[in-house]
């Protein structure tokens, strides 16, 4: 009788798994999943608690391109510092585990980086988010299949790889591919070729449902990998409204043709935006309203293969990286080419042109 009961339970489990496999992915977006389920740990976030996309509204569209029902297959995000790009990538991985399980690979510049992210960021996210903790098998289980470089869950796994290790890029076919800081990837890995090409080959089997997310701070003009992808895309910019007149434009540093930042080097605390429509001076305290009213608009034509986004640190939410601090860093770096290069890459999210 006990044997028959075990047979019945096993058959029931197989039937349940079979029906789950036939059930299509629910039409839940990545941003909606993050707002409903993602918890930020005090170990890894300066703002612990429930994730709120409203804090960084410019990330909503980018995340939602990665949703299972979105027709977008490849997203390139060229960015500055302190705008939430890393957490956005983690939201994508959490969404895959909970809502759209499939074989997935996350690639970082070095295998050591992959190990650090897995231990310090992903494991922390899983432990802080009950819906994820319930789905990822514990490392302590002898048959869990889990290691530092692999998280296994029902319906899929996440393999963490380093762009400096061809062996770590070898894998079975994968559906989702997240590549972080791709400008730090080598051009050739172990004599086997470009790690971007090697990893992307793994997605060929899933060509009709694959998702590729590339995120990076840019480096050198005409050499930067993320810049090449952005140039091949529709080159989206985040247009925000002027609080005074409502004119929509995107934020730049000193370009007179767009919303720009003006400042007095002796008083960086007085930095403000100048509206490209009415010329009004807008203080940084208006930034939450501007960000909430913003929208992504393409600024170039493309063949549709890559959806590209560019965002500078000028958009960093209140309490993160301020205009005042960006000006202060510029004043410190402007007479030192090596420091100015870092400022251009990390604050403006733009490539550096060697003279």
């Amino acid at each position: 009788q006990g044997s028959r009961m075990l047979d019945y339970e096993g058959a029931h489990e197989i039937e349940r798994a079979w029906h789950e496999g036939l059930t299509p992915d629910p039409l839940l977006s990545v941003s909606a999943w993050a707002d409903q389920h993602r918890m930020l740990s005090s170990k890894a976030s300066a703002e612990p608690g429930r994730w709120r996309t409203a804090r960084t509204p410019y990330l909503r569209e980018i995340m939602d391109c990665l949703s299972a029902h979105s027709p977008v297959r490849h997203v390139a995000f060229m960015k500055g510092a302190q705008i939430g790009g890393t957490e956005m990538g983690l939201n994508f991985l959490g969404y895959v585990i909970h809502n759209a399980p499939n074989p997935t690979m996350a690639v970082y510049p070095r295998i050591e980086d992959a190990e650090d992210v897995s231990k310090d960021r992903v494991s922390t996210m899983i432990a802080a988010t009950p819906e994820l903790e319930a789905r990822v098998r514990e490392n302590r289980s002898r048959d869990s299949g889990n290691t530092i470089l692999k998280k296994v869950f029902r319906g899929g796994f996440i393999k963490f790889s380093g762009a400096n290790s061809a062996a770590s890029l070898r894998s079975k076919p994968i559906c989702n591919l997240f590549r972080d800081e791709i400008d730090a990837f080598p051009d050739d890995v172990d004599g086997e070729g470009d790690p971007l090409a090697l990893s992307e080959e793994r997605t060929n089997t899933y060509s009709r449902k694959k998702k590729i997310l590339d995120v990076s701070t840019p480096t050198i003009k005409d050499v930067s990998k993320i810049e090449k992808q952005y140039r091949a895309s529709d080159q989206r910019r985040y247009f925000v409204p002027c609080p005074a007149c409502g004119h929509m434009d995107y934020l730049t540093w000193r370009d007179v043709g767009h919303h720009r930042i003006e400042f007095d080097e002796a008083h960086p605390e007085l930095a403000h935006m100048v509206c490209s429509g009415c010329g009004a001076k807008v203080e940084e305290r208006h930034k939450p309203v501007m960000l909430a009213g913003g929208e992504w608009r393409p600024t170039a034509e493309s063949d549709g293969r890559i959806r590209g986004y560019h965002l500078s640190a000028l958009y960093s939410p209140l309490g993160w990286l301020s205009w005042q601090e960006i000006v202060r860093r510029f004043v410190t770096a402007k007479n030192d080419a090596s420091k100015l290069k870092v400022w251009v890459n990390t604050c403006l999210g733009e490539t550096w042109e060697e003279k």
Side-chain angles (χ1 to χ4, degrees):
Q1 184 176 0
S3 176
R4 287 196 299 273
M5 180 63 71
L6 288 174
D7 289 343
Y8 171 78
E9 291 176 350
H12 178 72
E13 178 68 15
I14 291 172
E15 182 181 5
R16 182 192 58 74
W18 171 258
H19 284 295
E20 282 188 2
L22 294 177
T23 302
D25 295 331
L27 297 180
L28 186 69
S29 67
V30 174
S31 66
W33 177 88
D35 284 332
Q36 291 179 28
H37 302 292
R38 175 77 194 280
M39 299 298 295
L40 300 171
S41 167
S42 58
K43 294 181 180 179
S45 174
E47 298 182 1
R50 187 170 296 279
W51 166 274
R52 293 181 298 122
T53 303
R55 187 79 167 101
T56 52
Y58 46 75
L59 294 178
R60 186 183 305 278
E61 180 179 316
I62 306 176
M63 288 192 288
D64 290 352
C65 287
L66 305 168
S67 306
H69 57 275
S70 169
V72 178
R73 294 287 166 256
H74 191 170
V75 175
F77 186 24
M78 185 167 74
K79 67 178 189 66
Q82 297 191 39
I83 56 173
T86 298
E87 295 299 335
M88 180 193 71
L90 294 178
N91 286 342
F92 176 40
L93 297 181
Y95 171 87
V96 167
I97 294 172
H98 184 195
N99 200 69
N102 274 298
T104 300
M105 179 184 285
V107 187
Y108 298 87
R110 303 177 306 151
I111 194 71
E112 295 84 358
D113 300 325
E115 292 175 348
D116 289 343
V117 170
S118 176
K119 290 186 294 185
D120 299 337
R121 304 302 293 270
V122 176
S123 293
T124 299
M125 174 183 70
I126 292 170
T129 307
E131 289 76 11
L132 301 183
E133 189 175 35
R135 285 164 173 78
V136 178
R137 298 174 182 175
E138 295 184 4
N139 289 6
R140 293 189 300 271
S141 302
R142 186 172 298 178
D143 62 344
S144 72
N146 263 324
T147 64
I148 292 176
L149 293 177
K150 191 174 185 180
K151 301 297 181 186
V152 179
F153 45 90
R154 181 180 296 160
F157 60 82
I158 299 175
K159 180 180 179 181
F160 297 88
S161 304
N164 66 336
S165 168
S168 75
L169 296 175
R170 297 191 191 99
S171 175
K172 297 178 181 179
I174 57 170
C175 181
N176 305 302
L177 179 59
F178 170 38
R179 300 182 290 200
D180 200 12
E181 293 300 341
I182 65 171
D183 268 29
F185 284 19
D187 295 327
D188 184 277
V189 53
D190 298 338
E192 296 189 24
D194 179 8
L196 291 177
L198 290 173
S199 55
E200 191 163 344
E201 281 183 4
R202 305 288 177 244
T203 67
N204 290 341
T205 302
Y206 291 88
S207 59
R208 292 198 294 177
K209 63 181 294 188
K210 69 180 180 181
K211 298 289 181 180
I212 300 175
L213 171 61
D214 287 322
V215 178
S216 190
T217 302
T219 49
I220 307 298
K221 184 177 178 62
D222 298 327
V223 175
S224 168
K225 296 176 173 61
I226 195 68
E227 181 193 43
K228 290 178 180 178
Q229 292 190 359
Y230 182 70
R231 284 181 174 177
S233 75
D234 53 3
Q235 300 180 28
R236 296 187 175 225
R237 297 270 193 167
Y238 197 66
F239 283 65
V240 294
C242 167
C245 71
H247 177 66
M248 299 288 287
D249 208 340
Y250 61 86
L251 276 171
T252 65
W253 179 238
R254 305 297 287 273
D255 190 339
V256 177
H258 302 284
H259 290 338
R260 67 186 186 277
I261 303 299
E262 286 193 351
F263 57 90
D264 179 345
E265 292 189 7
H267 298 282
E269 69 278 3
L270 300 180
H272 57 271
M273 184 195 88
V274 176
C275 173
S276 61
C278 67
K281 295 183 178 180
V282 179
E283 297 179 359
E284 189 164 23
R285 61 186 176 87
H286 294 106
K287 191 187 285 186
V289 174
M290 292 191 294
L291 294 181
E295 60 182 39
W296 287 102
R297 295 181 180 179
T299 62
E301 294 184 357
S302 74
D303 60 10
R305 291 184 303 107
I306 302 177
R307 178 77 68 86
Y309 297 88
H310 177 270
L311 203 72
S312 73
L314 297 173
Y315 289 89
S316 184
L318 286 183
W320 292 14
L321 185 59
S322 67
W323 292 343
Q324 174 182 332
E325 179 59 25
I326 292 172
V327 170
R328 183 176 289 111
R329 293 182 185 183
F330 169 74
V331 172
T332 301
K334 66 175 185 174
N335 295 319
D336 185 326
S338 61
K339 292 181 180 178
L340 187 59
K341 176 181 178 180
V342 173
W343 181 86
V344 168
N345 291 161
T346 60
C347 289
L348 301 188
E350 297 176 358
T351 54
W352 171 261
E353 187 170 5
E354 297 287 2
K355 303 298 183 182

